[in-house]
Amino acid sequence: MATYKLTYFNFPALGEPIRFLLNFGGVQFEDNRIEWSNWYQIKSTTPLGQVPILEVDGEVLYQTIPICRFLGAKFNLLGDNEMENYKIDNVVQTITDLRMKIEMVNFDKFSPPNVVEEKRAQLKSETILFYLKNLELIASKNDGFLATKKLTWGDFYFASMIDYMNWMMKENLIENFVNLKRIYKNVMENDKIKTYIEKRPKPQMG
Amino acid sequence: MATYKLTYFNFPALGEPIRFLLNFGGVQFEDNRIEWSNWYQIKSTTPLGQVPILEVDGEVLYQTIPICRFLGAKFNLLGDNEMENYKIDNVVQTITDLRMKIEMVNFDKFSPPNVVEEKRAQLKSETILFYLKNLELIASKNDGFLATKKLTWGDFYFASMIDYMNWMMKENLIENFVNLKRIYKNVMENDKIKTYIEKRPKPQMG
């Protein structure tokens, strides 16, 4: 049996879709939650100076989305054909585009506060709605799932990134999106995810 | 037989890995190169206001990397197992991370020129070397290919993105990377890619 060791901070963000997938897969893994005070020391030992990192039988995997797709393949969460796999990849990329647009504003430490507030307002009134409408339209065809008519790794990625984006924007972004809420609920009420969430450590934000 | 129609501008950039893959696959496709003057009209008809778009039997595919992976699957350019597929996804993501860092500087229309020049100098002296060293190390293990010991869709993505990044940075970024140069050459000297490059329209930059 494969051994898994995940290295990330003690908060959800980019580590969480990987934790969701490992918990869903029902495999044992070491959930190595690093302290902020150790970060710079650990950073220099990673291939691109970033986490999450997933070690699988000692092999170091980095880059969140490729790791998620890899686990999706392991745990039978791919599409049934190449077009379905495209559809999963596509929604994951779209969520990522949105996430990065939010991060650029949320973690903007250089612009004056009023400029950041302006950008944040534009995110709320335009960008976020634009992307979520695209995802809602796709979801409306898939009966409780995001990319295709069955549970895929894209649903786990979606639900964990919604949590992360909600945290950055300090509101529930999918409140008015019926189908996206249904997908989110399907993931969060999955038995294995529920059990994990109940026992996960209290996040330690930076 | 599937019908393919690619819609993109009349230049390489993000359209080119898709054109490379379609040419390598040997399929007929409509290479719809749009004029700048028509862009805003076309933009509003696309799912996310962006191109490239690939129509496959009338179905609209968008998002460059998911499209490339889809074509990679069609044309027998995936890895032989899930770990190999992870390795392809990983290098493609790393190239994308670098490409976006270069784009953010190259297309920065807001910062004062001296700030842009400073950022450009840092790209050259640090960021680009950091990412390319990562890729060179991986390539050094794969005997003329990027992600695994055989030709995959990642090699086509790499070669076309090197052209795009070289154009943005106005120099040959891989000049001092023996293994990356070898991969680039392997792609560019592929018979089908060579034939395509010889006949491709002269790019019309914005």
Side-chain angles (χ1 to χ4, degrees), chain B residues 75-88:
Chain B
F75 303 141
N76 203 20
L77 291 166
L78 294 183
D80 288 337
N81 54 53
E82 293 313 333
M83 185 56 89
E84 286 193 7
N85 279 327
Y86 160 78
K87 289 180 176 179
I88 301 167

Side-chain angles (χ1 to χ4, degrees), chain B residues 156-173:
Chain B
F156 292 94
Y157 186 80
F158 167 77
S160 49
M161 285 303 108
I162 287 296
D163 273 353
Y164 177 38
M165 294 189 287
N166 284 350
W167 174 76
M168 288 192 282
M169 294 304 294
K170 299 178 182 63
E171 66 176 285
N172 182 10
L173 302 177

